[in-house]
Amino acid sequence: MDKKTSNFKSIGIVGLGLIGGSLGLDLQKLGYQVHGLVHRSSTAKRAQERGLAQIISTDPKILNTCSIIILALPLEQLLEPDPQLINELPMEAVITDVGSVKTPILEVWQKLHPNFVGSHPMAGTNKEGVEAGIENLFKGKAWVSTPEANTNLEAVEIIKKLAISLGCNWITTNANIHDQAVALISHLPVLISAALLKTLSSEEEESVISIAKVLASSGFADTTRIGGGNPQLGSSMIANNTSAVLRFLNSYKESLNKLEETIISQNWSSLKEELEKTKDIRPDFLNEK
Amino acid sequence: MDKKTSNFKSIGIVGLGLIGGSLGLDLQKLGYQVHGLVHRSSTAKRAQERGLAQIISTDPKILNTCSIIILALPLEQLLEPDPQLINELPMEAVITDVGSVKTPILEVWQKLHPNFVGSHPMAGTNKEGVEAGIENLFKGKAWVSTPEANTNLEAVEIIKKLAISLGCNWITTNANIHDQAVALISHLPVLISAALLKTLSSEEEESVISIAKVLASSGFADTTRIGGGNPQLGSSMIANNTSAVLRFLNSYKESLNKLEETIISQNWSSLKEELEKTKDIRPDFLNEK
């Protein structure tokens, strides 16, 4: 491989969708030279028009001169990376990803590159693809890193500085705890929100459904938002975090059954107490976000 | 009772909380003379300061001259109304309520007043009490009416005009269909959202919970919003709509079990298909709202 001198102002982004495109916009504003690798030439053309990176190509060789490379790819492509891509990653570069499940990614990538840092910026919208990237997506959001015992700590420091320069709060934890936490606050909510939408589609009383459609308002919109999100992302997050998701789904069903018991037994003071507790716990999870 | 001549420009509001206070603000702007009845003199003082009505009192006699009276009370007080209040309602006035469950309210109020119209403006915020009322709360929202065979249709027309003048879309349906529809899009969501918060509080791994608190973002905030809402309102809506809520809760648990089966069997294409269906169904319930 023909490697040029490392230059920390040159950053490669693999994939210019919501996360990659947003990173491209912000990193250029911060003065970096951004090289964007995409799969199709039609995407390259549109990404160029949108100014998502200075250099955009379908040829992984554009990564050769980059000192930091961010893999902004869907989980499946992170877990079964293209050999051509791996071939073109400079050995001295620092590599990170943005995948929403960390344990299986570390299993793959720790073997593939000496300077791999597993990370996960907690930012998103309901958009996807080359049109989705926006400025300031990361400001004020958490950027989680999950270093292992053999992770290069200098590489971690480089990604930390990058995340902080984008306005993120840097969080360090281990991959297993990260994966359980996101199962609880992100993957389980996809399922319970989707199940509500599924309940609507299985209701057979058309008169009820047609009035429900007219009456559904903000509370309904909020509760169903992530169950009506990106199906590919939702299913792949869950597919790659199965044991944690199933554990919390089980706990969720118990919680729901306990609430149901208060209704069946018409124990309204107990139902109200439960709702007081849930009202009290919620702000603990939304502090300063 | 000392009844004065009806004057359709004089409207009584019983209760000046979120709904009553918001009605008071908007109806005064529309040129009505608003008489607000509250329970405590401290509330009367604050409601006066906020300008929620022109005349505010703890004495139900202020309703004597009103031609329209809106009962903006919690469900419990609508279902077991104060005899003093009933005594002071002019027989020729049109009476409506804003309760979120209609069948039990009609059972009580059809016997109490000849011009009672059951209705339900689908508007709200997460605030309550005398500070909660805001302008333009009802603009663009549905206002549902549930007339029965013996309901005075002239009275319905009067409430319809009032709702439309507030910017609402007027919807007519029967009480049973209304109650099932709100069970589906409002009362069930309270339970499933609260159960998610309850799941968090029952998780024993402190390391997971502390990272979950840091990582919880907009998706989590949306899904838990109504489960972290007013406990009194949530429990009383459910307490007064038990059979519909339990029917849909059962259907919801089936939906959740079917999603769980795709995970246990690792049938990711089926999970993705399910999430595609839930993504497709959601906009049907959010059209133009």
Side-chain angles (χ1 to χ4, degrees):
Chain A
M1 279 183 286
D2 174 23
K3 300 272 169 54
K4 304 206 180 113
T5 318
S6 273
N7 166 11
F8 274 100
K9 283 288 169 190
S10 204
I11 295 191
I13 303 178
V14 183
L16 292 173
L18 171 66
I19 300 295
S22 299
L23 284 168
L25 291 169
D26 283 2
L27 291 173
Q28 288 178 87
K29 279 199 299 180
L30 288 171
Y32 290 98
Q33 168 84 7
V34 178
H35 298 203
L37 175 66
V38 296
H39 196 60
R40 285 179 296 188
S41 49
S42 58
T43 310
K45 186 167 172 279
R46 186 62 192 131
Q48 201 87 58
E49 285 165 5
R50 294 203 60 214
L52 300 181
Q54 283 103 334
I55 295 172
I56 299 176
S57 173
T58 58
D59 182 352
K61 287 204 183 346
I62 60 158
L63 302 174
N64 290 170
T65 55
C66 297
S67 51
I68 300 177
I69 294 167
I70 304 171
L71 307 168
L73 292 168
L75 272 178
E76 287 74 12
Q77 293 175 44
L78 287 169
L79 293 172
E80 293 186 27
D82 182 348
Q84 279 193 300
L85 167 67
I86 299 166
N87 252 352
E88 300 301 337
L89 296 174
M91 288 310 276
E92 68 276 19
V94 172
I95 315 288
T96 194
D97 73 313
V98 300
S100 47
V101 186
K102 298 268 59 92
T103 308
I105 287 174
L106 284 168
E107 272 169 27
V108 171
W109 279 91
Q110 296 254 70
K111 292 174 202 146
L112 289 178
H113 200 282
N115 299 331
F116 182 76
V117 176
S119 76
H120 181 203
M122 300 294 296
T125 69
N126 60 354
K127 301 286 191 299
E128 51 184 304
V130 70
E131 305 296 339
I134 52 172
E135 291 184 2
N136 296 320
L137 180 66
F138 305 96
K139 215 169 220 170
K141 305 288 164 54
W143 189 308
V144 190
S145 170
T146 55
E148 304 275 282
N150 58 349
T151 300
N152 178 342
L153 292 181
E154 281 176 44
V156 175
E157 277 304 303
I158 287 165
I159 301 301
K160 177 180 177 178
K161 275 185 194 152
L162 192 74
I164 288 170
S165 73
L166 289 160
C168 288
N169 303 312
W170 183 255
I171 313 285
T172 303
T173 185
N174 76 50
N176 179 265
I177 288 175
H178 167 276
D179 291 353
Q180 290 191 65
V182 292
L184 196 47
I185 54 97
S186 171
H187 308 168
L188 174 64
V190 168
L191 286 172
I192 70 173
S193 175
L196 175 57
L197 289 162
K198 191 170 163 60
T199 304
L200 298 173
S201 65
S202 63
E203 170 58 15
E204 286 168 1
E205 287 273 5
E206 284 196 17
S207 54
V208 172
I209 286 294
S210 72
I211 288 291
K213 283 182 183 173
V214 178
L215 302 192
S217 62
S218 61
F220 176 82
D222 289 341
T223 315
T224 56
R225 187 161 292 119
I226 63 167
N230 183 338
Q232 175 62 43
L233 179 62
S235 57
S236 76
M237 289 188 310
I238 292 164
N240 289 293
N241 202 12
T242 312
S243 67
V245 169
L246 286 177
R247 172 164 93 80
F248 290 121
L249 185 51
N250 208 42
S251 170
Y252 177 77
K253 286 161 73 175
E254 276 178 37
S255 300
L256 199 59
N257 285 338
K258 281 181 188 155
L259 293 176
E260 186 182 32
E261 279 164 27
T262 68
I263 303 173
I264 291 171
S265 62
Q266 307 206 2
N267 190 345
W268 309 125
S269 62
S270 168
L271 176 59
K272 191 180 157 198
E273 265 170 45
E274 289 290 343
L275 296 179
E276 277 161 0
K277 281 188 223 157
T278 60
K279 184 182 178 177
D280 284 347
I281 193 181
R282 184 171 182 267
D284 291 349
F285 286 79
L286 298 168
N287 201 19
E288 301 297 316
K289 276 187 290 285
Chain B
M1 275 185 286
D2 174 25
K3 300 271 167 55
K4 301 200 183 118
T5 318
S6 272
N7 166 8
F8 273 101
K9 284 287 171 192
S10 205
I11 296 191
I13 304 178
V14 184
L16 293 172
L18 171 65
I19 300 294
S22 299
L23 285 168
L25 291 169
D26 283 1
L27 291 173
Q28 288 178 88
K29 278 200 298 179
L30 289 170
Y32 291 97
Q33 168 85 7
V34 178
H35 298 203
L37 176 65
V38 296
H39 196 61
R40 285 179 295 189
S41 49
S42 58
T43 310
K45 184 166 173 281
R46 186 62 192 131
Q48 201 87 60
E49 285 166 2
R50 292 203 61 213
L52 300 181
Q54 283 102 334
I55 296 172
I56 299 175
S57 174
T58 58
D59 182 352
K61 286 206 185 340
I62 60 158
L63 301 175
N64 290 169
T65 56
C66 296
S67 51
I68 301 176
I69 294 166
I70 305 171
L71 307 168
L73 292 167
L75 272 178
E76 287 73 14
Q77 292 174 44
L78 288 168
L79 293 172
E80 293 186 27
D82 184 348
Q84 280 193 298
L85 166 67
I86 298 165
N87 252 352
E88 300 300 339
L89 297 173
M91 288 309 276
E92 68 277 16
V94 172
I95 315 288
T96 194
D97 74 310
V98 302
S100 47
V101 186
K102 299 268 57 91
T103 309
I105 287 174
L106 284 168
E107 271 169 28
V108 171
W109 279 92
Q110 297 254 67
K111 294 174 203 145
L112 288 176
H113 200 282
N115 299 331
F116 181 75
V117 175
S119 76
H120 180 203
M122 301 293 296
T125 69
N126 60 354
K127 300 287 190 298
E128 52 185 302
V130 69
E131 306 295 341
I134 52 172
E135 290 182 5
N136 297 319
L137 180 65
F138 305 96
K139 215 169 221 170
K141 305 289 164 55
W143 189 307
V144 189
S145 170
T146 56
E148 303 275 284
N150 58 349
T151 300
N152 178 343
L153 292 181
E154 280 177 45
V156 175
E157 278 304 303
I158 287 165
I159 301 302
K160 177 181 177 179
K161 276 183 193 154
L162 192 76
I164 289 171
S165 73
L166 288 162
C168 287
N169 304 312
W170 183 255
I171 313 286
T172 303
T173 186
N174 76 50
N176 178 265
I177 289 176
H178 167 276
D179 291 353
Q180 289 191 66
V182 292
L184 197 48
I185 54 97
S186 171
H187 307 168
L188 175 63
V190 168
L191 286 172
I192 70 175
S193 175
L196 174 57
L197 290 162
K198 191 169 163 62
T199 304
L200 298 172
S201 65
S202 62
E203 170 60 16
E204 286 169 359
E205 287 275 4
E206 284 195 19
S207 55
V208 172
I209 285 293
S210 72
I211 288 292
K213 283 183 183 171
V214 179
L215 302 193
S217 61
S218 60
F220 176 80
D222 289 340
T223 316
T224 56
R225 188 162 290 116
I226 64 167
N230 182 336
Q232 175 62 44
L233 179 63
S235 57
S236 76
M237 290 189 307
I238 292 164
N240 289 293
N241 202 12
T242 312
S243 68
V245 169
L246 286 176
R247 175 164 92 80
F248 290 121
L249 185 52
N250 208 42
S251 170
Y252 177 78
K253 285 161 74 175
E254 276 178 36
S255 300
L256 199 60
N257 285 337
K258 281 180 188 156
L259 293 176
E260 187 182 32
E261 280 165 25
T262 68
I263 303 173
I264 291 171
S265 62
Q266 306 205 8
N267 190 343
W268 308 125
S269 61
S270 170
L271 176 60
K272 191 182 158 199
E273 265 169 44
E274 289 290 343
L275 296 179
E276 277 161 0
K277 282 189 223 159
T278 59
K279 184 182 178 181
D280 284 345
I281 193 180
R282 185 171 181 265
D284 291 349
F285 287 79
L286 297 169
N287 201 20
E288 301 298 316
K289 276 185 291 286

